[in-house]
């Protein structure tokens, strides 16, 4: 196995044994980026000399026998939605093309403190709005398993970077499935932690009550390792929860026994691709073989989740994105004849179509005369969705189902039909609305060789259990060892 | 007093005050006034991407304190909302404010009117963030406007009154009472010049049908009501009074022409031109503002329990209304005197109380404080904290004036010397020989002597020329080197003249 | 329920978005279809259901009233599209 195909845990062990150092590892991944980026296009910015300087500093630390962080020398790719001090942070948008934040996101601070090597900023749907990464203002990222297809989104760059072995770890953000869906489509592990588990400080907001940052990795052990680093309270985020972070990486190999798995019947409805369903059924067989008790449950209001999501998320987004107006930072259109015109032209030219569409929808849902029918109604149904989960978790440890109804679709296939694109998040969205934790792990491939993901959901702050359950399947299978041929 | 009008004025005031915190509502930037432009900002108050607000505890507690002092009902659960509108001094293009669940509702305060005390009710008090400052091109050539975000994110209390005021004087009295209260409890310094107190006035008039020029009241009303106009940019209490007086008369005149009533056209906004002394009504916005309020997802709700409220209540000083009542009932002051003393603020009323306690004569202490002391403060433009005489020193003067029966003019002289030299009252009185006391008989003898020696003056007085009295009294004063108490001499002189 | 052109124009104005004619046509159709889709919520009876704005029941989060360093004027204005002296500069705003 090549160095770049290794997991973070393996690379850590190799460094500890003195087989390889951080600079060599970083060089290997930079080499992979140089070789593969023309096809994959996962990154928006890679600063080679900066990455090597970080790696050199870590090697120096190791040489001097200084204490090293848990991710010492491990390259991590960063979705360009996270602010990095002194480095351009674009959020995949023209409107922020030249924006240089004077601050690091909390997660970035945590990664630096853990001695990770921040290897580059990854492509994404503009302002994390999309399920294919086609909405980036800058490039279209390809699925490493089939370059004609999309990697999923909105964290498609981060998912593709890990799948293509351009980085062993990546961070993304998940508002309605933006980590789990691309992880599923790219055949890797991706997790959305409980709302409040990871600080959102420095995460460019899409929908504040739904956004959460989470890890991408080849396997569950690495996911645990990265989550351990980024999770925890931050006094700069009022919604970040004051609660100790369990040592996920130390407990990940302990199976959960007894284990009751709930299968929400709504996750196996029409619209689910038969090949995807077959892979999920195989995974369930594995759990059954491990003695799990599997029962059908119902989340009766989940059929409304997409509608609720597209009201709540767009309403919040319409307000969150109001600040991009060409006054204090960001793009200002060159020609205008008044203040209002300056605003609307800068925003009209600075934002892409999907962002404008969602701002329009969210503005409409909040506007006078429609607020009760749309926004308020959606918040009420949101409670019903959450209560469905509360009932299910009262009798099950975890819920399982497919992450995405279909494998990766072709570039351009759904670009003209936003509603069809929205429906590709049908299984991931309710998790964000309820604020619970969810993970996608690889569970097979279609005949065409496209990865399929198994989604596992657990109650609030049950990440530890979620990782242990995910690891049980992984220990019995080898899907996580597959790497695309590039 | 305003002229009697053929209509009733209805006024509701929206007051914004800046809270006396060290830092802004959601970040650690300074709230100090007058810093160089854009020198007190950070990613949070500039509204940069990805940053988040965290509520300042002191701001929330000051807000609670104000609401308790204003006798509001404190909500056990409160939350924050976003008010969405675009303006270049509002960096996020939404203001974090409170919409449907403000932390307090109701309450009010009592003002004094010529007809007696009057209760002005409040609709609500809520907490929100301030915007930055926009500087316009003053040359009038349409040059760029400039944005300073130092003020952006400063904590503001919005206090919305009921339309309970019926004259410009009442509006002013309400503002004075509100300012006094907020200053005394340390919630705000209420400096209008620095923008830490801002007033918008909602004004209309009610015209009885007989003066409505044939117009009939709309169904459900006994009177004709004119459309409400919100007057903004009122930068002094005087401006509030003048603007309301002007605007109400303007509405009456406009109504004579247009006949438009409340409910027939939308609310308008007006600016106040202090130089011209006129309100300038801006175009009525037929497209009502659509602020798209929704719950602020980046902040969490606040629950306030009884224990917390008790803790805040314990920090409240005696409030002006209670103190006035106590001055009346406990110290026997008149309502007017109590109002004057308390109206000067906490420190002044404290000073008075010390003087009263030390000298044992509240009425005399009140007279001294609200006349001589206040005059000095006004003349020197200083506050009571910088007044050179300790309350004990003034009390001492009051005691001695009484003991030696020193007349008012000489007493003021002593007071003046105390202020200038810092000498004690005792020392000055001795030096001036004012400590000599005359018994009544001694004085009466001098009075008789004066009558005997000034036959002409006595005849003049008898003939009704009161002016001649001065010569008779002056004789006694000369005899006593000016130390005799004039009032007493006059009283005795009248008695003795009656016998002549 | 189809969105009218006037509604779309009004929403674009509220959101300060200048749309091209092509975008205007496109969004009018697409938003109508999306609104039709989300109208399915109206079938559901939600009487007596409390709205859920925050997924987690956290409350009373405060920070102490302690000063933290501000940005320097140059740092604050570093990203400004137009700067005049120590201010952000914007086209004339008419009150
Ligand atoms: Zn600040």
């Amino acid at each position: 196995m090549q160095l770049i195909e290794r997991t973070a845990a393996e690379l850590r062990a190799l460094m500890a044994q003195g087989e390889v150092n951080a600079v060599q590892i970083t060089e290997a991944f930079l080499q992979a980026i140089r070789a593969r980026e023309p096809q994959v296009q996962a990154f928006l910015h890679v600063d080679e000399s900066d990455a090597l300087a970080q790696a050199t500093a870590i090697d120096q630390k190791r040489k001097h026998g200084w204490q090293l962080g848990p991710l010492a020398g491990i390259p991590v790719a960063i979705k360009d939605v996270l602010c990095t001090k002194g480095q351009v942070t674009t959020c995949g948008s023209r409107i922020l093309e030249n924006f240089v934040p004077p601050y690091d996101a909390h997660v970035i601070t945590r990664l630096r403190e853990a001695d990770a090597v921040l290897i580059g900023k990854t492509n994404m749907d503009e302002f994390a709005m999309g399920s294919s990464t086609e909405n980036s203002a800058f490039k279209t990222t390809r699925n490493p398993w089939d370059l004609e297809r999309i990697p999923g989104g909105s964290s498609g760059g981060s998912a593709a970077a890990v799948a293509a072995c351009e980085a062993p770890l990546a961070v993304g953000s998940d508002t309605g499935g933006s980590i789990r869906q691309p992880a599923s489509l790219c055949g890797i592990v991706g997790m959305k932690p409980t709302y409040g588990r990871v600080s959102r400080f420095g995460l460019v907001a899409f929908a504040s009550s739904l956004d959460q940052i989470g890890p991408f990795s080849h396997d569950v052990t690495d996911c645990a390792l990265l989550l351990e680093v980024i999770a925890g309270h931050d006094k700069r985020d009022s919604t970040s929860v004051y609660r100790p972070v369990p040592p996920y990486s130390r407990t990940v190999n302990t199976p959960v026994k007894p284990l009751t798995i709930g299968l929400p019947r709504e996750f196996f409805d029409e619209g689910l691709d038969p090949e995807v369903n077959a892979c999920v059924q195989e995974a369930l067989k594995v759990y059954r073989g491990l003695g799990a008790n599997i029962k059908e449950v119902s989340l009766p209001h989940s059929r409304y989740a997409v509608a609720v999501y597209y009201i709540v998320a767009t309403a919040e987004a319409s307000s969150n994105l109001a600040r991009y107006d060409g006054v204090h930072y960001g793009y200002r259109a060159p020609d205008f004849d008044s203040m209002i015109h300056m605003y609307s032209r800068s925003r009209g030219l600075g934002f892409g179509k999907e962002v404008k569409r969602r701002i329009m929808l969210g503005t409409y849902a909040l506007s006078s005369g429609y607020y009760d029918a749309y926004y308020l109604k959606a918040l009420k149904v949101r409670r019903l969705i959450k209560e469905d989960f509360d009932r299910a978790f009262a009798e099950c440890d975890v819920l399982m189902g497919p992450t995405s109804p279909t494998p990766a679709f072709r570039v351009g296939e759904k670009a003209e039909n936003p509603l069809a694109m929205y429906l590709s998040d049908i299984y991931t969205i309710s998790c964000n609305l309820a604020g619970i934790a969810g993970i996608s792990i690889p569970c097979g491939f279609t005949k065409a060789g496209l990865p399929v993901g198994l989604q596992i959901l657990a109650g609030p702050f049950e990440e530890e259990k979620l990782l242990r359950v995910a690891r049980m399947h992984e220990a019995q299978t080898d899907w996580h060892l597959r790497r695309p041929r590039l | 007093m305003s002229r009697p009008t053929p209509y009733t004025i209805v006024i509701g005031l929206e007051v914004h005050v800046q809270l006396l915190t060290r830092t802004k509502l959601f970040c650690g930037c300074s709230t100090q006034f007058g810093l160089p432009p854009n020198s007190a900002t950070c990613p949070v108050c500039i509204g940069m991407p990805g940053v988040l607000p965290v509520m300042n505890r002191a701001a929330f507690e000051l807000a609670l304190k104000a609401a308790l002092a204003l006798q509001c009902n404190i909500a056990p659960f409160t939350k924050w909302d976003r008010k969405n509108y675009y303006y270049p001094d509002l960096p996020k293009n939404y203001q974090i404010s409170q919409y449907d669940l403000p932390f307090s509702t109701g309450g009010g305060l009592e003002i004094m009117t010529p007809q007696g005390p009057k209760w002005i009710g409040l609709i609500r008090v809520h907490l929100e963030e301030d915007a930055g400052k926009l500087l316009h091109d003053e040359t009038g050539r349409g040059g760029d406007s400039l944005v300073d975000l130092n003020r952006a994110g400063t904590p503001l209390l919005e206090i919305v009154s009921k339309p309970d005021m019926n004259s410009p004087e009442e509006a002013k009295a309400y503002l004075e009472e509100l300012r006094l209260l907020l200053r005394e409890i340390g919630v705000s310094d209420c400096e209008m010049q620095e923008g830490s107190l801002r007033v918008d006035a909602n004004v209309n008039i009610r015209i009885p049908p007989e003066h409505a020029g044939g117009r009939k009241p709309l169904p459900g009303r006994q009177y004709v009501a004119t459309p409400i106009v919100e007057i903004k940019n009122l930068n002094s209490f005087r401006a509030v009074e003048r603007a309301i007086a002007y605007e109400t008369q303007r509405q009456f005149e406009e109504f004579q022409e247009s006949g438009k009533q409340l409910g027939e056209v939308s609310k308008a906004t007006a600016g106040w031109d202090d130089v011209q002394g006129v309100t300038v009504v801006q175009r009525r916005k037929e497209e009502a503002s659509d602020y798209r309020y929704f719950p602020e997802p980046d902040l969490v709700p606040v629950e306030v329990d009884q224990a917390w409220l008790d803790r805040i209540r314990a920090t409240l000083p005696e409030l002006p209304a209670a103190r006035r009542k106590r001055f009346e009932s406990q110290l026997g002051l008149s309502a007017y005197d109590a109002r004057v003393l308390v109206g000067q603020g906490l420190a002044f009323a404290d000073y008075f109380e010390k003087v009263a306690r030390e000298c044992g004569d509240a009425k005399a202490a009140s007279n001294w404080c609200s006349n001589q002391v206040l005059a000095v403060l006004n003349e020197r433009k200083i506050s009571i904290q910088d007044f050179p005489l300790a309350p004990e020193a003034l009390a001492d003067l009051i005691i001695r004036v009484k003991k030696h029966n020193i007349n008012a003019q000489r007493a003021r002289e002593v007071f003046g010397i105390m202020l200038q030299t810092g000498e004690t009252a005792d020392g000055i009185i001795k030096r001036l020989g004012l400590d000599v006391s005359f018994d009544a008989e001694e004085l009466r003898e001098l009075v008789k002597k004066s009558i005997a020696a000034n036959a002409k003056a006595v005849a003049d007085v008898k003939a009704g020329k009161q002016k001649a009295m001065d010569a008779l009294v002056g004789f006694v004063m000369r005899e006593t080197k000016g130390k005799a108490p004039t009032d007493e001499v006059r009283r005795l002189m009248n008695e003795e003249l009656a016998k002549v | 329920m189809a969105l009218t052109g006037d509604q779309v124009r009004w929403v674009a104005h509220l959101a300060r978005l200048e749309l091209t004619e092509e975008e205007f046509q496109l969004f009018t159709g697409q938003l109508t279809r999306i609104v039709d889709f989300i109208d399915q919520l109206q079938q559901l009876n939600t009487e007596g259901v409390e709205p859920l704005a925050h997924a987690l029941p956290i409350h009373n989060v405060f920070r102490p009233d302690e000063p933290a360093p501000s940005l320097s004027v140059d740092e604050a204005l570093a990203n400004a599209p137009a700067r005049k002296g120590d201010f952000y500069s914007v086209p004339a705003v008419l009150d």
Side-chain angles (χ1 to χ4, degrees):
Chain A
M1 213 179 204
Q2 292 182 59
L3 205 53
I4 55 163
E5 296 185 341
R6 303 275 188 179
T7 66
E10 289 167 350
L11 293 169
R12 219 161 65 134
L14 290 172
M15 276 186 280
Q17 290 153 18
E19 302 267 322
V20 64
N21 63 26
V23 168
Q24 287 166 323
I25 287 173
T26 303
E27 271 175 344
F29 282 100
L30 288 173
Q31 171 57 35
I33 288 169
R34 281 195 293 270
R36 297 176 172 196
E37 267 305 276
Q39 296 170 285
V40 181
Q41 310 233 51
F43 284 89
L44 289 176
H45 335 277
V46 176
D47 185 338
E48 293 203 4
S49 59
D50 179 60
L52 286 168
Q54 296 175 57
T56 306
I58 291 153
D59 283 337
Q60 289 297 317
K61 269 186 166 180
R62 193 186 297 274
K63 211 164 114 191
H64 290 108
W66 294 355
Q67 177 93 34
L68 288 168
L71 294 178
I74 307 292
V76 181
I78 310 294
K79 185 179 183 180
D80 207 23
V81 72
L82 289 161
C83 290
T84 43
K85 185 174 178 171
Q87 288 173 317
V88 171
T89 300
T90 68
C91 228
S93 182
R94 287 269 171 237
I95 216 158
L96 285 178
E97 192 168 4
N98 300 309
F99 177 67
V100 181
Y103 47 94
D104 271 335
H106 181 73
V107 163
I108 300 297
T109 305
R110 284 288 178 92
L111 288 169
R112 293 193 202 279
E113 284 167 2
D115 289 323
V117 173
L118 307 182
I119 199 162
K121 307 286 293 278
T122 59
N123 195 21
M124 57 184 285
D125 284 305
E126 184 178 7
F127 285 102
M129 295 179 183
S131 308
S132 67
T133 314
E134 291 165 292
N135 295 332
S136 166
F138 304 108
K139 51 172 72 164
T140 300
T141 301
R142 304 294 170 138
N143 191 313
W145 294 93
D146 178 348
L147 297 169
E148 298 302 308
R149 290 173 189 269
I150 56 96
S154 66
S155 313
S158 282
V162 172
C165 299
E166 296 176 332
L169 295 175
V171 284
S173 64
D174 187 316
T175 306
S178 282
I179 291 175
R180 289 159 291 155
Q181 185 255 20
S184 165
L185 270 42
C186 289
I188 61 171
V189 175
M191 183 198 238
K192 182 204 95 76
T194 307
Y195 186 79
R197 180 71 289 184
V198 180
S199 165
R200 295 182 293 117
F201 186 88
L203 166 73
V204 181
F206 161 15
S208 310
S209 81
L210 305 168
D211 295 342
Q212 191 60 195
I213 299 165
F216 285 103
S217 58
H218 289 295
D219 67 13
V220 176
T221 307
D222 274 13
C223 180
L225 195 63
L226 183 49
L227 180 64
E228 214 170 289
V229 167
I230 62 173
H233 179 250
D234 171 15
K235 58 183 174 20
R236 295 172 297 178
D237 175 1
S238 308
T239 64
S240 137
V241 174
Y242 194 82
R243 218 182 149 104
V245 177
Y248 304 118
S249 63
R250 268 186 278 150
T251 57
V252 67
N253 283 308
T254 312
V256 175
K257 275 183 181 157
L259 173 64
T260 304
I261 298 170
L263 301 183
R265 76 173 69 96
E266 295 78 8
F267 285 7
F268 295 87
D269 257 353
E270 55 187 307
L272 174 58
D273 181 285
E275 280 196 279
V276 171
N277 190 24
C279 292
V280 171
Q281 296 305 329
E282 276 304 309
L284 294 173
K285 245 183 237 165
V286 172
Y287 282 105
R288 216 171 268 123
L290 291 167
N293 169 30
I294 301 183
K295 61 200 252 182
E296 192 177 275
V297 295
S298 177
L299 302 171
H301 298 96
S302 62
R303 56 186 288 230
Y304 300 106
V306 175
V308 170
Y309 176 82
Y310 277 93
I311 295 170
V312 173
T314 59
E316 290 182 12
S318 72
S319 172
N320 282 333
L321 273 62
R323 68 189 65 196
Y324 308 108
D325 62 358
V327 174
H328 308 101
Y329 49 80
Y331 174 77
R332 180 186 288 194
D335 301 306
F336 44 80
D337 44 51
S338 69
M339 185 67 222
I340 290 188
H341 195 213
M342 191 280 273
Y343 281 146
S344 51
R345 176 155 282 189
S346 299
R347 292 164 60 77
L349 295 173
F351 289 134
K353 276 201 175 66
E354 181 60 25
V355 171
K356 283 187 269 193
R357 192 153 41 227
R358 294 201 197 190
I359 291 173
M360 294 283 290
L361 180 58
T363 304
Y364 175 71
L366 287 176
S367 66
S368 161
Y370 300 96
Y371 180 88
D372 287 1
Y374 292 116
Y375 185 73
L376 195 63
K377 182 82 178 181
L379 290 191
K380 289 178 176 178
V381 182
R382 184 177 180 185
R383 180 173 298 277
L384 296 176
I385 290 168
K386 183 181 182 294
E387 287 171 353
D388 283 354
F389 278 109
D390 292 345
R391 271 190 295 276
F393 287 124
E395 47 176 321
C396 305
D397 292 294
V398 292
L399 303 177
M400 287 189 190
T403 306
S404 167
T406 65
F409 45 90
R410 287 199 160 74
V411 171
E413 192 178 321
K414 297 187 182 177
E416 297 308 314
N417 188 348
L419 198 53
M421 186 78 92
Y422 296 174
L423 288 168
S424 67
D425 296 331
I426 193 158
Y427 302 137
T428 48
I429 271 172
S430 51
C431 165
N432 300 76
L433 290 170
I436 60 174
I439 194 170
S440 178
I441 58 171
C443 72
F445 285 83
T446 64
K447 287 188 206 78
L450 297 172
V452 173
L454 173 72
Q455 178 174 235
I456 314 174
L457 302 173
F461 302 102
E462 298 258 45
E463 284 82 3
E464 193 203 32
K465 190 200 272 178
L466 193 59
L467 289 162
R468 288 164 61 198
V469 170
R471 177 64 192 146
M472 287 164 73
H473 171 270
E474 189 179 83
Q476 303 294 314
T477 57
D478 64 356
W479 307 117
H480 62 290
L481 301 176
R482 311 264 179 115
R483 303 286 183 268
R485 235 174 268 129
L486 281 160
Chain B
M1 285 307 304
S2 39
R3 286 170 291 127
T5 51
Y7 49 80
T8 306
I9 299 174
V10 181
I11 306 159
L13 295 179
E14 267 176 44
V15 175
H16 285 90
V17 294
Q18 271 179 21
L19 297 177
L20 279 173
T21 54
R22 297 169 72 197
T23 66
K24 294 185 180 180
L25 188 51
F26 302 120
C27 64
C29 291
S30 170
T31 53
Q32 204 190 314
F33 179 78
L35 295 173
N38 291 303
S39 67
T41 69
C42 72
V44 174
C45 55
I46 298 171
M48 284 188 174
V51 296
L52 298 166
V54 184
M55 176 85 47
N56 182 338
R57 180 184 286 275
F60 187 72
E61 293 195 336
L62 284 175
L64 281 180
K65 201 170 170 179
L68 284 175
L70 288 164
Q71 302 179 46
C72 304
N73 306 308
I74 310 290
F77 176 95
T78 187
K79 66 172 176 78
W80 274 263
D81 301 279
R82 292 187 185 174
K83 179 181 182 178
N84 295 283
Y85 65 94
Y86 283 83
Y87 210 66
D89 63 4
L90 188 67
K92 304 183 293 293
N93 286 323
Y94 58 80
Q95 179 193 28
I96 302 179
S97 181
Q98 300 200 277
Y99 183 52
D100 54 339
L101 294 172
F103 80 91
S104 76
T105 54
L109 48 74
E110 194 180 270
I111 61 166
M112 188 53 79
T113 74
Q115 294 78 41
K118 179 174 177 180
W119 179 257
I120 307 297
L122 298 181
I123 296 171
R124 60 189 276 162
V125 176
H126 75 245
L127 183 57
E128 63 185 25
E129 61 175 332
D130 205 348
K133 244 192 334 217
L134 201 55
L135 291 88
H136 303 288
D137 175 20
E138 299 294 343
T139 66
R141 280 185 299 236
D144 287 354
S145 297
L146 302 176
V147 186
D148 173 9
L149 294 183
N150 280 351
R151 208 178 61 186
T154 299
L156 282 187
L157 208 56
E158 180 173 326
I159 303 163
V160 185
S161 87
K162 290 183 178 167
D164 282 356
M165 286 154 276
N166 299 111
S167 70
E169 292 80 11
E170 285 183 18
K172 184 169 176 238
Y174 166 80
L175 290 171
E176 280 173 343
E177 184 67 10
L178 184 64
R179 180 173 65 181
L180 176 70
L181 179 73
L182 295 176
R183 281 181 173 169
E184 298 224 352
I185 62 176
V187 159
S188 175
D189 58 17
C190 296
E191 292 294 350
M192 282 190 105
Q193 295 78 11
E194 297 182 1
S196 70
L197 187 154
R198 282 168 257 162
V199 182
D200 299 332
N202 284 290
V203 178
N204 76 339
I205 56 174
R206 293 172 181 175
I207 309 167
E210 61 269 26
H211 292 289
R215 299 275 171 175
K216 286 199 172 56
L218 292 183
R221 286 192 203 134
Q222 303 293 313
Y223 46 80
V224 167
T226 55
I228 296 173
V229 172
E230 182 178 1
I231 315 172
K232 293 188 169 285
N233 194 25
L234 296 166
N235 45 25
S236 70
F237 290 179
R238 179 93 189 97
V240 173
E241 268 190 299
R242 291 173 66 209
I244 292 171
Y246 178 89
E247 173 61 20
T248 48
Q249 187 57 31
R250 192 200 63 76
Q251 287 187 18
F252 185 63
E253 283 158 19
E254 184 182 279
F255 175 78
Q256 309 296 332
E257 280 186 23
S258 73
K260 286 273 187 278
Q261 299 191 39
L262 177 65
E264 291 179 336
V265 289
S266 55
K267 180 174 153 177
T269 307
W272 168 247
D273 183 333
D274 209 51
V275 179
Q276 303 291 319
V278 296
T279 54
V280 183
V281 176
Q282 282 135 20
R283 198 169 53 86
R284 282 177 206 279
K285 289 172 198 148
E286 298 302 339
E287 39 171 75
S289 305
D290 190 343
Y291 291 126
R292 289 159 286 133
Y293 281 101
F294 75 103
E296 164 58 280
D298 289 331
L299 289 172
V300 298
V302 175
E303 290 181 10
V304 182
D305 61 12
Q306 198 52 48
W308 194 3
L309 281 184
D310 290 345
R311 261 198 330 276
I312 301 292
R313 210 186 296 273
T315 66
L316 281 176
E318 186 182 25
L319 302 180
R323 195 166 214 185
R324 283 186 200 112
K325 291 218 168 70
R326 188 168 58 77
F327 280 6
E328 291 174 44
S329 62
Q330 199 179 310
L331 302 179
L333 297 188
S334 70
Y336 177 84
D337 286 343
R339 183 156 285 276
V340 170
L341 291 166
V342 172
Q344 298 306 316
L346 188 71
F348 189 89
D350 281 348
Y351 182 92
F352 154 74
E353 269 210 271
K354 274 204 198 99
V355 176
R357 201 170 47 234
E358 293 289 324
C359 76
D361 183 346
K363 181 67 194 160
S366 165
N367 285 341
W368 275 95
C369 287
S370 45
N371 295 314
Q372 274 65 46
V373 176
L374 207 49
V376 173
L377 298 187
N378 289 339
E379 185 193 306
R380 300 192 182 179
K381 295 191 170 61
I382 55 171
S383 67
I384 190 71
Q385 284 90 340
D386 301 319
F387 185 66
L389 292 189
E392 293 77 10
L394 180 57
D396 187 46
L397 172 63
I398 293 169
I399 291 168
R400 286 174 196 283
V401 164
K402 210 164 154 189
K403 183 177 159 200
H404 301 304
N405 220 349
I406 299 172
N407 72 45
Q409 197 192 324
R410 301 306 303 260
R412 282 200 292 276
E413 233 172 84
V414 177
F415 176 76
I417 297 170
M418 287 171 78
L419 279 176
Q420 268 177 14
T421 64
E423 272 179 278
T424 62
D426 186 36
I428 299 165
I429 288 169
K430 283 209 173 103
R431 184 156 54 75
L432 297 181
L434 293 175
D435 55 340
V436 187
S437 48
F438 297 85
D439 61 42
E441 282 319 301
E442 201 178 336
L443 274 184
R444 198 178 291 275
E445 286 311 310
L446 285 169
V447 166
K448 285 179 180 164
K449 201 174 157 191
S450 175
I451 290 171
N454 297 287
K456 166 95 173 68
V458 172
D460 284 351
V461 172
K462 288 279 176 191
K465 290 185 186 161
Q466 278 300 311
K467 199 104 182 64
M469 188 74 167
D470 291 352
L472 292 171
V473 173
F475 179 88
V476 178
M477 298 311 286
R478 272 196 303 282
E479 289 288 303
T480 59
K481 298 196 177 68
K483 291 173 195 166
T486 328
D487 299 347
E488 184 68 3
V489 173
R490 267 181 202 281
R491 195 178 62 78
L492 293 171
M493 189 67 73
N494 280 323
E495 273 181 30
E496 290 305 316
L497 280 173
K499 295 176 191 163
V500 177
Chain C
M1 186 182 60
L3 268 75
T4 65
D6 279 352
Q7 275 177 309
V8 174
R9 256 182 269 276
W10 171 241
V11 170
H13 168 72
L14 278 180
R16 298 293 185 270
L17 287 173
E18 184 177 73
L19 302 180
T20 63
E21 188 51 34
E22 179 251 327
E23 282 173 330
F24 173 74
Q25 296 298 340
L26 181 73
F27 288 176
T28 304
Q30 286 175 336
L31 288 172
T32 293
R33 282 191 292 282
I34 296 168
V35 168
D36 276 345
F37 174 77
I38 62 180
D39 268 337
Q40 61 173 292
L41 292 184
Q42 310 312 327
Q43 304 159 8
L44 199 59
N45 181 6
T46 51
E47 223 179 283
V49 179
E50 274 293 303
L52 179 74
H54 291 87
L56 293 178
I58 321 172
H59 54 258
N60 295 32
V61 175
F62 295 102
R63 61 176 191 85
D65 186 21
E66 282 163 12
S70 293
L71 295 173
S72 70
V73 178
D74 285 338
E75 284 172 317
L77 292 163
N79 283 291
R83 173 181 177 168
K84 218 171 236 178
D86 286 344
F87 296 91
Y88 303 90
S89 173
V90 295
V93 180
L94 311 161
D95 262 320

